[in-house]
Amino acid sequence: MRCVCLAKVPIVDADTCIGCALCASICPGTFEMEADGKSHVKNPAGEPEAKIQEAIDACPVKAIAWKQ
Ligand code: F3S
């Protein structure tokens, strides 16, 4: 069985997210847009850490952060 103990996981601040969907387009395995129009983490290890960092950096309102 694959280890799911992650050093850090991405979290989306739903109050800050404006639903631009950039994160879900960069990391479709990690983020998904839901009915509320906001991004949610569907799998914190959906992409390699560097790719998730790319999505974090791309978010125009900095709604994504690492939770250590
Ligand atoms: Fe929201 Fe930022 Fe993603 S605005 S949809 S968390 S890129």
Side-chain angles (χ1 to χ4, degrees):
M1 197 168 110
R2 202 171 127 233
C3 176
V4 291
C5 310
L6 301 171
K8 53 185 185 177
V9 298
I11 48 164
V12 176
D13 179 354
D15 291 335
T16 307
C17 174
I18 55 169
C20 82
L22 210 51
C23 56
S25 120
I26 295 170
C27 292
T30 304
F31 303 99
E32 75 183 342
M33 305 308 294
E34 287 194 355
D36 62 359
K38 313 268 185 173
S39 167
H40 295 263
V41 175
K42 66 171 177 182
N43 176 4
E47 270 86 14
E49 215 172 277
K51 194 72 185 169
I52 294 173
Q53 184 62 53
E54 202 182 299
I56 290 174
D57 294 341
C59 176
V61 291
K62 302 290 170 224
I64 315 167
W66 289 111
K67 183 171 187 278
Q68 302 283 343

